[in-house]
Amino acid sequence: MSQWVEACAVDDVEEEDLIRFDHDGRTFAIYRSPDDAFYATDGLCTHEHVHLADGLVMDHIIECPKHNGRFDYRTGEAKGAPVCVNLRTYPVKVEDGRVLIDLS
Amino acid sequence: MGRMVIVGAGECGVRAAFTLREEGYEGTVTLVGEEPHLPYERPPLSKNAPPAVKLIAEETRYRDLSIDLLRGTRGQRIDRENRRLVLADGRTLDYDRLLIATGARARRFPGMEKACTLRSVGDADAILSAIDAGTKLVIIGGGFIGLELAATARGLGAEVTVLEAADRLMARAVPAEIAAMFEDRHRQEGIRLRLGAKVETLEEHIVELADGSRIEADIVVAGVGAEPITGLAADAGLAVDNGIVVDGCLRTADPSIFAAGDCCSFPYRGAPVRLESWRCAQDQGAHAARAMLGCGDSFGRVPWFWSDQYDLGLQVAGLARADQPFLKREAGDGAFVLFQLDGQGRVLSASGAGPGNAVARDISIAEKLIERGIAVAPEVLCDPGTRLKQLLKG
Ligand SMILES: Cc1cc2nc3c(=O)[nH]c(=O)nc-3n(C[C@H](O)[C@H](O)[C@H](O)COP(=O)(O)OP(=O)(O)OC[C@H]3O[C@@H](n4cnc5c(N)ncnc54)[C@H](O)[C@@H]3O)c2cc1C
Ligand code: FES
């Protein structure tokens, strides 16, 4: 069963950027890509559990602020050292200017 | 089918072994490591107490990739004529290509024999298990490892004294203004910091300085830098000059032998350098693997490193030069980035510091500016209102 949760407004995230979203003791990262699509992943890097919110988004890559681990935020795929474990991703939909993510 | 041998199973050697497989290499890959443990990450050793061992990869990963990991095994001698690595236990490994990734060891100056040093997980265990609330810890050297250990030990309640011979901290690698931020913080945290302190004699429980003062210690740790481990190369007649000398592809004068990571001296923008940087060791390991498979590209990644002390973080991209002024960009919360430009206005280096990861984005962008040789007007860099990322799009 899906469990859609409102994460933020569309305008809260700049293009090619991300914000942090906390919900129910968990933390996520919400991305807006250069082609204006929204994505969501777990908030913490799989290397040392540092929050990705301070990281740099370039195209479809989020670079971890701590040691430059890189992930494709659309798929969560880890793109090489020092990260080797993929990020979990979540379905996203946009409704009436709001960004919703499915936590089920 | 070929045979690839890597001697040294640290950050660099492990990355090289993985890259050989990622590149589709199907011959044998043997990774020879002197330490008994599965390969682990060194940076946490000075930053966390108790030292949690963080493996570079689980054991299954080596098995899945058919990498023969020989632990607790020392490479003793290279027989170049027969392309053979002789191990300390008498076994031999024939190779088509050999990578030397033996890293560095903690330096000790004469007279420091009685001090502990911090390089391995065993060192970290020995030091941190001796530290409790009230333990008198004396650290010789105000570089990264000494200062990270000072912060960690302070967190355990130790009484910490740091002795630095120079007139400021971290003089080798970071600008004075960043060093000053960290100096203030260490003093606030109650570290006794003595700059310009020359150690005269060192006994197990007493350190005497040139000015005659005597400092009592339960434990003394020397953090006075590291020296490259080059014996295998030197004994085999390969050039060593502050590290095993390699060309842009990370190859030694022997076309079958490569060197990478902390143990090598490589050309960066025309000048030989040796780095002690975790990411550079990874990048060079990956690059050396491709070079072993015949890729002739030069290693061109921009140097980058970080340090964490308390909740302060610093990051440096590129190599800062003593002869160029710094341009300051405020990053909020007391964080700032210091840029250097070359004669053509291209970004040469960026050094940033502040709470947490406050400078991470700017440094990431700066690294890309350096890599691409992009020229930037000083007023653009210094204006916190400009979006640095925009400079990459131009
Ligand atoms: C406490 C500490 C904290 C650090 N913190 C940071 C940091 O915050 N940021 C940063 O950028 N860098 C940091 N570094 C530096 C970073 O860890 C090194 O740059 C990196 O480990 C270098 O990797 P390497 O593989 O070249 O060498 P190493 O990691 O030293 O690995 C070399 C390996 O080769 C083995 N070996 C040597 N000789 C032989 C032989 N003859 N036969 C078999 N095996 C051999 C050694 O035992 C060792 O296991 C830190 C280092 C230490 C010690
Ligand atoms: S915490 Fe993200 S790369 Fe290390």
Side-chain angles (χ1 to χ4, degrees):
Chain A
M1 220 180 62
S2 38
Q3 187 199 340
W4 291 97
V5 174
E6 181 178 326
C8 59
V10 164
D11 293 341
D12 291 342
V13 199
E14 286 185 45
E15 230 166 70
E16 205 178 36
D17 206 353
L18 82 162
I19 60 162
R20 172 181 180 142
F21 167 59
D22 294 333
H23 178 78
D24 210 9
R26 294 161 70 189
T27 186
F28 306 91
I30 314 289
Y31 308 80
R32 185 174 186 172
S33 68
D35 45 4
D36 209 20
F38 286 82
Y39 298 91
T41 70
D42 270 338
L44 302 182
C45 180
T46 58
H47 179 237
E48 274 187 9
H49 309 296
V50 167
H51 210 291
L52 295 167
D54 290 323
L56 177 69
V57 176
M58 292 289 283
D59 294 323
H60 293 112
I61 299 291
I62 169 70
E63 202 173 274
C64 173
K66 194 84 245 178
H67 315 116
N68 305 161
R70 298 160 82 238
F71 302 91
D72 185 326
Y73 56 80
R74 296 170 300 179
T75 57
E77 188 196 348
K79 304 295 274 184
V83 291
C84 45
V85 177
N86 293 345
L87 269 180
R88 182 168 169 196
T89 59
Y90 301 87
V92 176
K93 65 180 177 189
V94 175
E95 273 177 12
D96 302 330
R98 318 295 301 168
V99 180
L100 299 119
I101 73 174
D102 181 4
L103 300 182
S104 59
Chain B
M1 279 264 245
R3 289 154 306 181
M4 299 291 187
V5 174
I6 299 166
V7 57
E11 203 64 56
C12 179
V14 169
R15 180 51 39 198
F18 290 164
T19 304
L20 286 170
R21 290 302 185 218
E22 283 159 20
E23 294 287 320
Y25 178 71
E26 289 179 350
T28 62
V29 176
T30 311
L31 181 56
V32 182
E34 188 172 10
E35 295 185 77
H37 324 271
L38 279 172
Y40 58 89
E41 298 187 0
R42 291 181 206 285
L45 299 177
S46 46
K47 297 174 182 72
N48 299 324
V53 177
K54 184 152 174 48
L55 299 180
I56 295 173
E58 297 297 328
E59 190 163 19
T60 50
R61 181 108 178 267
Y62 300 91
R63 237 181 287 137
D64 293 347
L65 293 174
S66 300
I67 293 165
D68 294 322
L69 173 60
L70 307 183
R71 295 196 246 160
T73 308
R74 220 178 94 77
Q76 178 86 4
R77 184 169 64 80
I78 303 169
D79 173 354
R80 281 171 60 190
E81 204 170 325
N82 295 303
R83 293 206 287 197
R84 185 170 290 162
L85 177 71
V86 181
L87 305 180
D89 60 15
R91 285 181 292 170
T92 59
L93 293 168
D94 291 346
Y95 62 80
D96 295 312
R97 297 281 182 272
L98 173 70
L99 174 63
I100 307 176
T102 43
R105 63 169 73 86
R107 181 179 289 139
R108 270 197 184 91
F109 292 119
M112 287 188 184
E113 292 78 10
K114 295 202 173 113
C116 305
T117 54
L118 176 49
R119 180 84 195 173
S120 67
V121 68
D123 297 340
D125 276 338
I127 292 168
L128 289 165
S129 65
I131 294 176
D132 258 324
T135 303
K136 294 192 189 72
L137 168 66
V138 174
I139 296 171
I140 304 175
F144 297 116
I145 291 180
L147 294 173
E148 289 178 0
L149 177 65
T152 303
R154 195 69 196 123
L156 296 171
E159 289 177 29
V160 184
T161 305
V162 175
L163 306 173
E164 167 57 51
D167 58 1
R168 69 171 182 98
L169 300 176
M170 301 183 284
R172 212 158 40 105
V174 307
E177 196 171 349
I178 291 180
M181 175 197 280
F182 282 78
E183 182 182 331
D184 285 349
R185 181 59 184 273
H186 280 287
R187 290 196 197 278
Q188 274 165 29
E189 295 282 344
I191 304 281
R192 275 175 233 136
L193 215 56
R194 306 208 26 189
L195 301 175
K198 307 255 186 318
V199 174
E200 189 74 25
T201 60
L202 191 161
E203 293 302 322
E204 226 152 315
H205 294 293
I206 207 98
V207 181
E208 195 171 311
L209 301 183
D211 68 5
S213 50
R214 289 161 65 83
I215 304 165
E216 254 182 81
D218 296 314
I219 170 165
V220 182
V221 179
V224 292
E227 55 196 21
I229 300 179
T230 58
L232 279 174
D235 292 347
L238 297 169
V240 170
D241 182 4
N242 182 33
I244 302 167
V245 176
V246 293
D247 64 15
C249 314
L250 307 179
R251 193 194 296 256
T252 66
D254 181 327
S256 311
I257 304 180
F258 297 75
D262 281 13
C263 69
C264 85
S265 165
F266 68 101
Y268 176 69
R269 303 191 163 192
V273 296
R274 190 178 73 80
L275 300 177
E276 287 160 18
S277 146
W278 187 69
R279 201 192 72 186
C280 181
Q282 293 171 354
D283 291 342
Q284 289 195 335
H287 192 93
R290 288 190 285 269
M292 290 161 88
L293 297 173
C295 169
D297 292 351
S298 279
F299 179 76
R301 207 73 211 275
V302 171
W304 176 90
F305 69 86
W306 88 98
S307 173
D308 298 323
Q309 295 163 38
Y310 312 103
D311 60 354
L312 291 181
L314 75 83
Q315 295 193 7
V316 178
L319 294 180
R321 281 177 32 175
D323 60 350
Q324 296 287 337
F326 289 106
L327 300 165
K328 185 172 179 179
R329 179 186 175 90
E330 304 284 351
D333 272 349
F336 60 87
V337 180
L338 301 172
F339 290 91
Q340 284 185 310
L341 303 179
D342 69 8
Q344 277 82 51
R346 293 172 302 209
V347 184
L348 258 185
S349 73
S351 312
N357 298 317
V359 296
R361 268 190 207 198
D362 284 355
I363 296 292
S364 256
I365 295 166
E367 185 194 332
K368 294 169 180 64
L369 292 171
I370 298 168
E371 199 165 83
R372 300 182 200 172
I374 294 178
V376 188
E379 56 277 15
V380 171
L381 281 180
C382 296
D383 174 3
T386 55
R387 286 176 50 115
L388 287 183
K389 200 163 144 186
Q390 221 41 50
L391 300 172
L392 292 170
K393 312 263 171 183

Coordinates of all heavy atoms in Angstrom, one line a residue, chain A residues 14-18 34 46-48 50-59 63-68 70 80-82 84, chain B residues 15 41 44 48 54 56 61 278-279 282 301 304 306 308 313 315 356-358 360-361 364-365 367-368 372 387 389 392-393:
Chain A
E14 N 15.5 24.6 -5.4 CA 16.0 25.2 -6.6 C 16.3 24.1 -7.6 O 16.6 23.0 -7.3 CB 17.2 26.1 -6.3 CG 16.9 27.3 -5.6 CD 18.1 28.2 -5.4 OE1 18.8 28.4 -6.4 OE2 18.3 28.7 -4.3
E15 N 16.3 24.6 -8.9 CA 16.7 23.7 -9.9 C 18.1 23.2 -9.7 O 19.0 24.0 -9.3 CB 16.6 24.3 -11.3 CG 15.8 23.5 -12.3 CD 15.4 24.3 -13.5 OE1 16.3 24.6 -14.3 OE2 14.2 24.6 -13.6
E16 N 18.4 21.9 -10.0 CA 19.7 21.3 -9.8 C 20.2 21.6 -8.4 O 21.3 22.1 -8.1 CB 20.8 21.9 -10.8 CG 21.9 20.9 -11.1 CD 22.9 21.5 -12.1 OE1 23.1 22.7 -12.1 OE2 23.5 20.7 -12.8
D17 N 19.3 21.2 -7.4 CA 19.7 21.3 -6.0 C 18.9 20.3 -5.2 O 18.1 19.5 -5.8 CB 19.4 22.8 -5.6 CG 20.2 23.2 -4.4 OD1 21.0 22.3 -3.9 OD2 20.2 24.4 -4.0
L18 N 19.1 20.3 -3.9 CA 18.3 19.4 -3.0 C 18.0 20.1 -1.7 O 18.7 21.1 -1.4 CB 19.1 18.1 -2.8 CG 20.2 18.2 -1.7 CD1 20.6 16.8 -1.3 CD2 21.4 19.0 -2.1
P34 N 18.0 19.3 -13.3 CA 18.1 20.4 -14.2 C 16.9 20.4 -15.3 O 16.5 21.4 -15.8 CB 19.4 20.2 -15.0 CG 20.2 19.3 -14.1 CD 19.2 18.5 -13.3
T46 N 25.7 6.5 2.3 CA 25.8 5.1 2.8 C 27.3 4.8 3.2 O 27.6 3.8 3.7 CB 25.5 4.1 1.6 OG1 26.4 4.4 0.5 CG2 24.1 4.2 1.2
H47 N 28.2 5.8 3.1 CA 29.5 5.6 3.6 C 29.6 5.9 5.1 O 29.9 4.9 5.9 CB 30.5 6.5 2.8 CG 31.9 6.4 3.3 ND1 32.7 7.5 3.7 CD2 32.7 5.3 3.3 CE1 33.9 7.0 4.0 NE2 33.9 5.7 3.8
E48 N 29.4 7.1 5.5 CA 29.5 7.4 7.0 C 28.3 8.1 7.5 O 28.4 8.8 8.5 CB 30.8 8.2 7.3 CG 32.0 7.3 7.5 CD 33.2 8.1 8.0 OE1 33.1 9.2 8.3 OE2 34.3 7.4 8.0
V50 N 26.6 10.6 6.7 CA 26.5 12.1 6.8 C 25.4 12.6 5.9 O 25.1 12.0 4.9 CB 27.9 12.6 6.2 CG1 27.8 14.1 5.9 CG2 29.0 12.3 7.2
H51 N 24.7 13.6 6.3 CA 23.5 14.1 5.5 C 24.0 14.7 4.2 O 25.0 15.4 4.1 CB 22.7 15.1 6.3 CG 21.3 15.0 5.8 ND1 20.8 15.4 4.6 CD2 20.2 14.5 6.4 CE1 19.5 15.2 4.5 NE2 19.1 14.6 5.6
L52 N 23.3 14.3 3.1 CA 23.7 14.8 1.8 C 23.2 16.2 1.5 O 23.6 16.8 0.5 CB 23.1 13.8 0.8 CG 23.6 12.4 0.8 CD1 22.7 11.4 0.0 CD2 25.1 12.3 0.3
A53 N 22.4 16.8 2.4 CA 21.9 18.1 2.1 C 22.9 19.2 1.8 O 22.6 20.1 1.1 CB 21.0 18.5 3.3
D54 N 24.1 19.1 2.4 CA 25.1 20.1 2.2 C 25.9 19.7 0.9 O 26.9 20.4 0.6 CB 26.1 20.1 3.3 CG 25.5 20.8 4.6 OD1 24.7 21.7 4.4 OD2 25.8 20.3 5.7
G55 N 25.6 18.7 0.2 CA 26.3 18.3 -1.0 C 26.0 19.0 -2.2 O 25.1 19.9 -2.2
L56 N 26.7 18.8 -3.3 CA 26.6 19.5 -4.5 C 25.9 18.6 -5.5 O 26.2 17.5 -5.8 CB 28.0 19.8 -5.1 CG 28.1 20.5 -6.4 CD1 27.5 21.9 -6.3 CD2 29.5 20.5 -6.9
V57 N 24.8 19.2 -6.2 CA 24.1 18.5 -7.2 C 24.6 19.0 -8.6 O 24.6 20.2 -8.8 CB 22.6 18.7 -7.2 CG1 21.9 18.0 -8.3 CG2 22.0 18.2 -5.9
M58 N 25.1 18.1 -9.4 CA 25.5 18.4 -10.8 C 24.8 17.5 -11.7 O 25.0 16.2 -11.6 CB 27.0 18.3 -10.9 CG 27.8 19.3 -10.2 SD 27.7 21.0 -10.8 CE 28.8 20.9 -12.2
D59 N 24.0 18.0 -12.6 CA 23.2 17.1 -13.5 C 22.4 16.1 -12.6 O 21.7 16.5 -11.7 CB 24.1 16.4 -14.5 CG 24.7 17.3 -15.5 OD1 24.0 18.3 -15.8 OD2 25.8 17.2 -15.8
E63 N 26.9 14.8 -4.9 CA 28.2 14.5 -4.4 C 28.1 14.7 -2.9 O 27.7 15.8 -2.4 CB 29.2 15.5 -5.0 CG 30.6 15.0 -5.0 CD 31.5 16.0 -5.7 OE1 31.6 15.8 -7.0 OE2 32.0 16.9 -5.1
C64 N 28.5 13.7 -2.1 CA 28.5 13.8 -0.6 C 29.4 14.9 -0.1 O 30.6 15.0 -0.6 CB 28.9 12.4 0.0 SG 29.0 12.5 1.8
P65 N 29.0 15.7 0.8 CA 29.8 16.8 1.3 C 31.0 16.3 2.1 O 32.0 17.1 2.3 CB 28.9 17.6 2.2 CG 27.8 16.6 2.7 CD 27.6 15.7 1.5
K66 N 31.0 15.1 2.6 CA 32.1 14.7 3.5 C 33.3 14.2 2.8 O 34.4 14.7 3.0 CB 31.5 13.6 4.4 CG 32.4 13.3 5.6 CD 32.2 14.3 6.8 CE 33.3 15.2 7.0 NZ 33.1 16.1 8.1
H67 N 33.1 13.2 1.9 CA 34.3 12.6 1.2 C 34.1 12.5 -0.3 O 34.7 11.6 -0.9 CB 34.7 11.3 1.8 CG 34.7 11.2 3.3 ND1 33.8 10.4 4.0 CD2 35.4 11.8 4.2 CE1 34.0 10.5 5.3 NE2 35.0 11.4 5.5
N68 N 33.1 13.2 -0.8 CA 32.9 13.2 -2.3 C 32.4 12.0 -2.8 O 32.5 11.7 -4.1 CB 34.2 13.6 -3.1 CG 34.9 14.9 -2.7 OD1 36.0 15.1 -3.0 ND2 34.1 15.8 -2.0
R70 N 29.8 9.7 -4.7 CA 28.8 10.2 -5.6 C 27.7 9.2 -5.9 O 28.0 8.0 -6.0 CB 29.5 10.6 -6.9 CG 30.5 11.7 -6.7 CD 31.6 11.8 -7.8 NE 31.1 12.5 -9.0 CZ 31.0 12.0 -10.2 NH1 31.4 10.7 -10.5 NH2 30.6 12.7 -11.2
G80 N 31.0 4.8 -7.3 CA 32.5 4.5 -7.0 C 33.0 5.0 -5.7 O 32.3 5.7 -5.0
A81 N 34.3 4.7 -5.4 CA 34.9 5.0 -4.1 C 34.6 6.4 -3.7 O 34.7 7.3 -4.5 CB 36.4 4.7 -4.2
P82 N 34.4 6.6 -2.4 CA 34.4 5.6 -1.3 C 33.0 5.0 -1.1 O 32.9 4.2 -0.2 CB 34.8 6.4 -0.1 CG 34.3 7.8 -0.4 CD 34.3 8.0 -1.9
C84 N 30.1 2.4 -1.9 CA 29.8 1.2 -2.7 C 28.4 0.6 -2.5 O 27.9 -0.2 -3.2 CB 30.9 0.1 -2.4 SG 31.2 -0.1 -0.6
Chain B
R15 N 41.9 -0.3 -4.0 CA 41.2 0.4 -5.1 C 41.7 -0.1 -6.5 O 40.9 -0.3 -7.4 CB 41.3 1.9 -4.9 CG 40.7 2.8 -5.9 CD 39.2 2.5 -6.2 NE 38.4 2.2 -5.1 CZ 37.2 1.6 -5.2 NH1 36.7 1.3 -6.3 NH2 36.5 1.3 -4.1
E41 N 40.0 1.6 6.6 CA 40.2 3.0 6.4 C 41.0 3.6 7.5 O 40.7 3.4 8.7 CB 38.9 3.7 6.3 CG 38.0 3.2 5.1 CD 36.8 4.0 4.9 OE1 36.5 5.0 5.6 OE2 36.0 3.7 3.9
P44 N 39.4 7.3 10.1 CA 38.6 7.3 11.4 C 39.5 7.1 12.6 O 39.1 7.3 13.7 CB 37.7 6.1 11.2 CG 37.6 5.9 9.7 CD 38.9 6.3 9.2
N48 N 37.8 9.1 15.9 CA 36.7 8.4 16.7 C 37.3 7.7 17.8 O 38.4 7.1 17.7 CB 36.0 7.4 15.8 CG 35.3 8.0 14.6 OD1 34.8 9.1 14.7 ND2 35.3 7.3 13.5
K54 N 36.7 0.5 10.3 CA 35.9 0.6 9.2 C 36.6 0.0 8.0 O 37.6 0.4 7.5 CB 35.6 2.1 8.9 CG 34.6 2.3 7.7 CD 33.8 3.6 7.9 CE 33.0 3.8 6.6 NZ 32.2 2.7 6.2
I56 N 37.4 -1.3 4.2 CA 37.2 -0.7 2.9 C 36.2 -1.5 2.2 O 35.4 -1.0 1.4 CB 38.6 -0.7 2.1 CG1 39.6 0.3 2.8 CG2 38.4 -0.3 0.7 CD1 41.0 0.2 2.3
R61 N 33.6 -9.4 -0.8 CA 33.8 -8.6 -2.1 C 35.1 -9.1 -2.8 O 35.1 -9.2 -4.0 CB 33.9 -7.2 -1.7 CG 34.1 -6.2 -2.8 CD 32.9 -5.4 -3.1 NE 33.1 -4.4 -4.2 CZ 33.4 -3.2 -4.0 NH1 33.6 -2.7 -2.8 NH2 33.6 -2.4 -5.0
W278 N 43.8 10.6 1.3 CA 43.0 9.4 1.2 C 42.4 9.3 -0.2 O 42.4 8.3 -0.8 CB 42.0 9.6 2.3 CG 41.1 8.4 2.5 CD1 41.4 7.2 3.1 CD2 39.7 8.4 2.3 NE1 40.3 6.4 3.2 CE2 39.2 7.1 2.7 CE3 38.8 9.3 1.8 CZ2 37.9 6.7 2.6 CZ3 37.4 8.9 1.7 CH2 37.0 7.7 2.1
R279 N 41.8 10.4 -0.6 CA 41.1 10.4 -1.9 C 42.1 10.2 -3.1 O 41.9 9.5 -4.0 CB 40.2 11.6 -2.2 CG 39.2 11.2 -3.2 CD 38.5 12.4 -3.8 NE 39.3 13.2 -4.6 CZ 38.9 14.4 -5.1 NH1 37.8 14.9 -4.8 NH2 39.7 15.1 -5.9
Q282 N 43.1 6.7 -3.4 CA 42.0 5.9 -4.2 C 42.1 6.2 -5.7 O 42.1 5.3 -6.5 CB 40.6 6.3 -3.7 CG 40.3 5.9 -2.3 CD 39.0 6.5 -1.8 OE1 38.4 7.4 -2.5 NE2 38.7 6.1 -0.6
R301 N 43.9 14.2 -11.7 CA 42.9 14.6 -10.7 C 43.5 15.6 -9.7 O 44.7 15.6 -9.4 CB 42.6 13.3 -9.9 CG 41.3 13.2 -9.2 CD 40.1 13.0 -10.1 NE 38.9 13.7 -9.5 CZ 38.1 13.1 -8.6 NH1 38.3 11.9 -8.3 NH2 37.1 13.8 -8.1
W304 N 42.9 16.7 -3.2 CA 41.8 17.1 -2.3 C 42.0 16.4 -0.9 O 42.3 15.2 -0.9 CB 40.5 16.8 -2.9 CG 39.3 17.1 -2.0 CD1 38.6 18.3 -2.0 CD2 38.7 16.2 -1.1 NE1 37.6 18.2 -1.0 CE2 37.6 16.9 -0.5 CE3 38.9 14.9 -0.6 CZ2 36.8 16.4 0.5 CZ3 38.1 14.4 0.4 CH2 37.0 15.1 0.9
W306 N 40.7 16.5 3.5 CA 39.8 17.1 4.6 C 40.4 16.8 5.9 O 41.2 15.8 6.1 CB 38.4 16.6 4.5 CG 38.1 15.4 5.2 CD1 37.6 15.3 6.5 CD2 38.5 14.0 4.8 NE1 37.6 14.0 6.9 CE2 38.1 13.2 5.9 CE3 39.1 13.5 3.7 CZ2 38.3 11.8 5.8 CZ3 39.3 12.1 3.7 CH2 38.9 11.3 4.7
D308 N 38.8 16.7 10.2 CA 37.7 17.1 11.1 C 38.3 17.2 12.5 O 39.0 16.3 12.9 CB 36.6 15.9 11.2 CG 36.0 15.7 9.8 OD1 35.7 16.7 9.1 OD2 35.7 14.5 9.5
G313 N 35.1 21.5 10.3 CA 35.7 20.7 9.2 C 36.5 21.6 8.3 O 36.2 22.8 8.1
Q315 N 38.6 21.6 4.3 CA 38.8 20.9 3.1 C 39.7 21.8 2.2 O 39.5 23.0 2.2 CB 37.4 20.7 2.3 CG 36.5 19.8 3.0 CD 35.3 19.3 2.1 OE1 35.3 19.6 0.9 NE2 34.4 18.6 2.7
G356 N 30.9 21.9 10.6 CA 30.3 20.8 9.8 C 30.8 20.8 8.4 O 32.0 20.9 8.1
N357 N 29.9 20.7 7.4 CA 30.3 20.6 6.0 C 30.0 22.0 5.3 O 29.7 22.0 4.1 CB 29.5 19.5 5.4 CG 29.9 18.2 6.0 OD1 31.0 17.9 6.2 ND2 28.9 17.3 6.2
A358 N 30.1 23.1 6.1 CA 29.7 24.4 5.5 C 30.4 24.8 4.3 O 29.9 25.5 3.4 CB 29.9 25.5 6.6
A360 N 31.7 22.6 2.0 CA 31.9 21.4 1.1 C 31.5 21.8 -0.3 O 32.2 21.4 -1.3 CB 31.0 20.3 1.6
R361 N 30.3 22.4 -0.5 CA 29.9 22.7 -1.8 C 30.9 23.6 -2.6 O 31.2 23.4 -3.7 CB 28.6 23.5 -1.8 CG 27.4 22.5 -1.9 CD 26.1 23.4 -2.1 NE 25.1 22.6 -1.5 CZ 23.8 22.8 -1.8 NH1 23.4 23.8 -2.6 NH2 22.9 22.0 -1.2
S364 N 33.9 21.8 -3.5 CA 33.6 20.9 -4.7 C 33.6 21.6 -6.0 O 34.1 21.1 -7.0 CB 32.2 20.3 -4.5 OG 32.3 19.0 -4.1
I365 N 33.0 22.8 -6.0 CA 32.9 23.6 -7.2 C 34.3 24.1 -7.5 O 34.7 24.0 -8.7 CB 31.9 24.8 -7.0 CG1 30.5 24.2 -6.8 CG2 32.0 25.7 -8.2 CD1 29.5 25.3 -6.3
E367 N 37.1 22.7 -6.9 CA 37.9 21.6 -7.4 C 37.7 21.5 -9.0 O 38.6 21.3 -9.7 CB 37.5 20.3 -6.7 CG 38.3 19.2 -7.1 CD 37.7 17.8 -6.7 OE1 37.0 17.8 -5.7 OE2 38.0 16.9 -7.4
K368 N 36.4 21.6 -9.3 CA 36.1 21.5 -10.8 C 36.6 22.7 -11.5 O 37.0 22.6 -12.7 CB 34.6 21.3 -11.0 CG 34.1 20.0 -10.4 CD 32.6 19.9 -10.3 CE 32.1 18.6 -9.7 NZ 32.5 18.4 -8.3
R372 N 39.3 22.3 -14.6 CA 39.1 22.7 -15.9 C 39.9 24.0 -16.3 O 39.7 24.5 -17.4 CB 37.6 23.0 -16.1 CG 36.7 21.8 -15.9 CD 35.3 22.1 -16.1 NE 34.5 21.1 -15.4 CZ 33.1 21.2 -15.3 NH1 32.5 22.2 -15.7 NH2 32.5 20.2 -14.6
R387 N 26.7 33.0 -7.4 CA 26.6 31.6 -7.4 C 27.8 31.0 -8.1 O 27.9 31.0 -9.3 CB 25.3 31.1 -8.0 CG 24.1 31.5 -7.1 CD 22.8 31.1 -7.8 NE 22.9 29.8 -8.4 CZ 22.1 28.7 -8.0 NH1 21.3 28.9 -7.0 NH2 22.3 27.6 -8.5
K389 N 28.5 28.0 -8.7 CA 28.2 26.9 -9.6 C 28.0 27.4 -11.0 O 28.3 26.7 -12.0 CB 26.9 26.2 -9.1 CG 26.7 24.8 -9.6 CD 25.7 24.2 -8.8 CE 24.8 23.3 -9.5 NZ 23.7 22.7 -8.7
L392 N 30.7 27.2 -13.6 CA 31.0 25.9 -14.3 C 30.2 25.8 -15.5 O 30.5 24.9 -16.4 CB 30.7 24.8 -13.3 CG 31.6 24.6 -12.1 CD1 31.0 23.6 -11.2 CD2 33.0 24.2 -12.5
K393 N 29.2 26.6 -15.7 CA 28.3 26.5 -16.8 C 28.7 27.3 -18.0 O 28.2 27.1 -19.1 CB 26.9 26.9 -16.4 CG 26.4 26.3 -15.1 CD 25.5 25.1 -15.3 CE 25.3 24.5 -14.0 NZ 24.5 23.3 -14.1

